[in-house]
């Protein structure tokens, strides 16, 4: 995951089906997403991956966040 993935993740996050299944169904603004994304990229306990198909096209994402308690 890198800064170049920010817009794609934002578009996926705002998909109507994703919003319906989320804790909050509200649209995510570009500004809020950019701040969230930058925080996740800088978090050493966050591992965020984009899955690619055999043609190197993005098809999904997964994020793991370590809980060090």
């Amino acid at each position: 995951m890198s800064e170049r993935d920010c817009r794609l993740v934002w578009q996926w996050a705002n998909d109507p089906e994703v919003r319906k299944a989320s804790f909050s169904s509200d649209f995510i603004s570009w500004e809020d997403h950019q701040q969230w994304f930058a925080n996740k990229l800088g978090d050493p306990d966050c591992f965020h991956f984009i899955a690619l198909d055999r043609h190197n096209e993005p098809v999904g994402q997964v994020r793991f966040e370590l809980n060090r308690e």
Side-chain angles (χ1 to χ4, degrees):
M1 182 74 61
S2 70
E3 287 181 25
R4 72 177 181 268
D5 300 310
C6 187
R7 184 165 297 276
L8 175 63
V9 172
W10 175 68
Q11 290 169 334
W12 282 345
N14 277 312
D15 180 275
E17 293 300 314
V18 172
R19 296 295 354 121
K20 281 198 301 189
S22 298
F23 291 113
S24 170
S25 61
D26 296 340
F27 177 82
I28 302 167
S29 74
W30 174 239
E31 294 76 17
D32 287 347
H33 177 74
Q34 286 179 300
Q35 182 176 353
W36 173 87
F37 196 84
N39 288 339
K40 292 300 174 188
L41 282 181
D43 183 348
D45 291 335
C46 181
F47 301 89
H48 200 166
F49 303 96
I50 298 281
L52 305 175
D53 68 11
R54 62 185 174 143
H55 304 291
N56 276 344
E57 294 296 323
V59 295
Q61 66 176 319
V62 63
R63 187 177 77 239
F64 301 99
E65 295 190 35
L66 298 179
N67 183 350
R68 296 189 186 254
E69 292 180 19

